[in-house]
Protein backbone atom coordinates (compact mmCIF):
# COMPACT_ATOMS: atom_id res chain seq x y z
CA UNK A 1 0.00 0.00 0.00
CA UNK A 2 1.21 3.51 -0.74
CA UNK A 3 -0.15 7.04 -0.58
CA UNK A 4 -2.45 8.06 -3.42
CA UNK A 5 -3.65 11.40 -4.74
CA UNK A 6 -6.63 12.66 -2.73
CA UNK A 7 -5.64 10.98 0.52
CA UNK A 8 -4.65 13.05 3.55
CA UNK A 9 -0.88 13.42 3.93
CA UNK A 10 0.60 15.34 6.88
CA UNK A 11 3.87 16.92 5.73
CA UNK A 12 7.00 18.19 7.43
CA UNK A 13 7.91 21.54 5.95
CA UNK A 14 10.99 22.10 8.12
CA UNK A 15 12.35 18.78 9.41
CA UNK A 16 14.56 19.36 12.42
CA UNK A 17 17.50 17.45 10.84
CA UNK A 18 16.83 18.60 7.26
CA UNK A 19 20.56 18.99 6.58
CA UNK A 20 21.04 15.23 7.06
CA UNK A 21 17.90 14.09 5.26
CA UNK A 22 18.22 12.59 1.79
CA UNK A 23 15.06 10.49 1.58
CA UNK A 24 11.29 11.03 1.88
CA UNK A 25 8.93 8.19 2.80
CA UNK A 26 5.45 7.69 4.28
CA UNK A 27 3.85 6.10 7.31
CA UNK A 28 0.27 4.89 7.26
CA UNK A 29 -1.75 6.39 10.12
CA UNK A 30 -5.02 4.59 9.50
CA UNK A 31 -8.25 5.38 7.73
CA UNK A 32 -10.77 8.19 8.20
CA UNK A 33 -14.08 8.36 6.31
CA UNK A 34 -12.94 5.63 3.93
CA UNK A 35 -9.66 7.35 3.00
CA UNK A 36 -6.15 6.45 4.07
CA UNK A 37 -4.20 8.98 6.13
CA UNK A 38 -0.42 9.28 5.96
CA UNK A 39 2.45 11.16 7.49
CA UNK A 40 5.25 12.10 5.12
CA UNK A 41 8.59 11.64 6.88
CA UNK A 42 12.16 12.66 6.12
CA UNK A 43 15.09 10.37 6.72
CA UNK A 44 18.70 9.61 5.98
CA UNK A 45 19.22 6.38 4.05
CA UNK A 46 21.59 4.02 5.88
CA UNK A 47 21.12 0.82 3.85
CA UNK A 48 18.64 -0.55 1.32
CA UNK A 49 15.14 -0.06 2.78
CA UNK A 50 16.55 1.47 6.00
CA UNK A 51 16.52 5.10 7.07
CA UNK A 52 17.15 7.15 10.20
CA UNK A 53 14.23 9.45 10.94
CA UNK A 54 15.21 13.13 10.54
CA UNK A 55 11.93 14.72 11.66
CA UNK A 56 9.78 14.64 14.79
CA UNK A 57 6.55 12.70 14.17
CA UNK A 58 3.44 14.88 14.41
CA UNK A 59 0.96 12.02 14.58
CA UNK A 60 2.69 8.61 14.68
CA UNK A 61 3.15 6.70 17.90
CA UNK A 62 6.16 4.62 18.93
CA UNK A 63 8.53 6.25 16.40
CA UNK A 64 10.95 9.02 17.38
CA UNK A 65 13.54 11.33 15.89
CA UNK A 66 16.73 9.39 15.17
CA UNK A 67 15.09 5.95 15.17
CA UNK A 68 16.30 3.66 12.39
CA UNK A 69 13.33 2.21 10.52
CA UNK A 70 12.76 -0.47 7.93
CA UNK A 71 10.70 0.44 4.84
CA UNK A 72 8.54 -1.67 2.57
CA UNK A 73 9.42 -1.85 -1.16
CA UNK A 74 6.86 1.00 -1.62
CA UNK A 75 8.85 3.19 0.83
CA UNK A 76 6.29 2.94 3.63
CA UNK A 77 7.42 2.61 7.24
CA UNK A 78 7.28 -1.04 8.28
CA UNK A 79 8.96 -1.14 11.71
CA UNK A 80 11.52 0.42 14.01
CA UNK A 81 14.73 -1.61 13.98
CA UNK A 82 16.81 0.58 16.32
CA UNK A 83 15.59 3.11 18.90
CA UNK A 84 17.43 6.43 19.21
CA UNK A 85 16.69 7.13 22.87
CA UNK A 86 14.61 10.19 21.97
CA UNK A 87 11.11 10.80 23.34
CA UNK A 88 8.43 12.68 21.39
CA UNK A 89 5.86 15.04 22.86
CA UNK A 90 3.12 16.81 20.96
CA UNK A 91 1.71 20.09 22.22
CA UNK A 92 -1.60 21.59 21.09
CA UNK A 93 -2.15 25.26 21.86
CA UNK A 94 -5.45 25.83 20.08
CA UNK A 95 -7.35 29.02 20.88
CA UNK A 96 -5.65 29.65 24.21
CA UNK A 97 -4.58 32.90 25.83
CA UNK A 98 -1.82 34.30 23.60
CA UNK A 99 0.25 35.74 26.48
CA UNK A 100 0.33 32.38 28.29
CA UNK A 101 1.08 30.66 25.00
CA UNK A 102 4.11 32.89 24.36
CA UNK A 103 5.35 32.33 27.91
CA UNK A 104 4.97 28.56 27.51
CA UNK A 105 6.86 28.52 24.22
CA UNK A 106 9.65 30.59 25.74
CA UNK A 107 9.85 28.23 28.75
CA UNK A 108 9.82 25.16 26.50
CA UNK A 109 12.59 26.65 24.35
CA UNK A 110 14.65 27.27 27.51
CA UNK A 111 14.59 23.50 28.17
CA UNK A 112 16.31 23.11 24.77
CA UNK A 113 14.25 20.36 23.14
CA UNK A 114 14.39 19.89 19.41
CA UNK A 115 11.21 21.45 18.02
CA UNK A 116 9.17 21.22 14.85
CA UNK A 117 5.92 23.06 14.09
CA UNK A 118 3.14 21.36 12.12
CA UNK A 119 0.85 24.41 12.25
CA UNK A 120 0.52 27.52 14.37
CA UNK A 121 -1.11 25.34 17.04
CA UNK A 122 0.67 21.98 16.89
CA UNK A 123 4.26 21.68 18.12
CA UNK A 124 6.29 18.45 18.17
CA UNK A 125 9.14 18.17 20.67
CA UNK A 126 11.98 15.67 20.94
CA UNK A 127 14.09 15.18 24.06
CA UNK A 128 16.55 12.53 25.24
CA UNK A 129 14.99 9.89 27.50
CA UNK A 130 16.78 11.35 30.53
CA UNK A 131 15.01 14.71 29.96
CA UNK A 132 11.57 13.25 29.24
CA UNK A 133 10.19 13.30 32.80
CA UNK A 134 11.15 16.94 33.31
CA UNK A 135 9.43 17.89 30.05
CA UNK A 136 6.35 15.80 30.88
CA UNK A 137 6.10 17.43 34.32
CA UNK A 138 6.30 20.91 32.82
CA UNK A 139 3.74 20.15 30.10
CA UNK A 140 1.38 18.58 32.65
CA UNK A 141 1.61 21.70 34.82
CA UNK A 142 0.76 23.94 31.88
CA UNK A 143 -2.05 21.61 30.81
CA UNK A 144 -3.50 21.75 34.34
CA UNK A 145 -3.43 25.56 34.02
CA UNK A 146 -5.42 25.31 30.77
CA UNK A 147 -2.63 26.76 28.62
CA UNK A 148 -2.10 23.72 26.36
CA UNK A 149 -2.83 20.06 25.81
CA UNK A 150 -0.07 17.51 25.32
CA UNK A 151 0.60 13.87 24.72
CA UNK A 152 3.63 11.62 24.60
CA UNK A 153 4.44 9.91 21.32
CA UNK A 154 4.47 6.44 22.84
CA UNK A 155 1.33 4.36 23.12
Amino acid sequence: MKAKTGEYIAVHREPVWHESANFVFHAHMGEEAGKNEWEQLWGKATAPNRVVLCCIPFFLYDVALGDEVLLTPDNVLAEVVHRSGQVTFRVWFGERDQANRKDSIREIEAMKPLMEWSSENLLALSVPEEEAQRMADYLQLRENEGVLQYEAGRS
Side-chain angles (χ1 to χ4, degrees):
M1 175 183 353
K2 62 194 254 184
K4 296 178 186 152
T5 303
E7 296 179 327
Y8 175 77
I9 301 175
V11 297
H12 291 259
R13 288 178 175 78
E14 297 182 42
V16 69
W17 289 349
H18 66 274
E19 70 281 347
S20 297
N22 62 7
F23 197 83
V24 175
F25 61 102
H26 291 91
H28 188 245
M29 299 188 304
E31 195 176 295
E32 181 71 32
K35 290 189 175 184
N36 288 311
E37 295 187 333
W38 303 86
E39 185 164 356
Q40 177 194 63
L41 302 166
W42 293 58
K44 178 179 181 179
T46 56
N49 298 325
R50 283 184 167 214
V51 297
V52 171
L53 192 61
C54 293
C55 57
I56 306 168
F58 294 135
F59 301 103
L60 296 174
Y61 291 96
D62 303 319
V63 181
L65 177 69
D67 284 356
E68 186 173 19
V69 299
L70 181 65
L71 305 179
T72 68
D74 288 333
N75 295 323
V76 174
L77 180 115
E79 66 180 298
V80 175
V81 292
H82 179 68
R83 300 243 177 239
S84 64
Q86 290 289 115
V87 176
T88 301
F89 292 97
R90 291 180 274 266
V91 181
W92 177 257
F93 290 100
E95 300 301 319
R96 308 280 199 251
D97 176 308
Q98 289 300 310
N100 282 330
R101 174 190 169 122
K102 288 179 183 176
D103 288 344
S104 295
I105 293 168
R106 194 169 28 257
E107 290 168 356
I108 290 169
E109 287 172 339
M111 289 189 265
K112 302 195 184 314
L114 295 173
M115 302 170 53
E116 197 173 323
W117 287 94
S118 171
S119 67
E120 69 178 42
N121 289 315
L122 179 59
L123 173 64
L125 307 171
S126 184
V127 298
E129 286 177 345
E130 57 271 11
E131 296 292 320
Q133 190 60 56
R134 182 171 77 112
M135 181 61 72
D137 291 345
Y138 171 79
L139 294 172
Q140 185 64 59
L141 175 71
R142 298 304 271 174
E143 183 172 88
N144 292 346
E145 294 170 345
V147 175
L148 55 79
Q149 292 177 293
Y150 89 98
E151 69 175 9
R154 289 190 181 157
S155 55

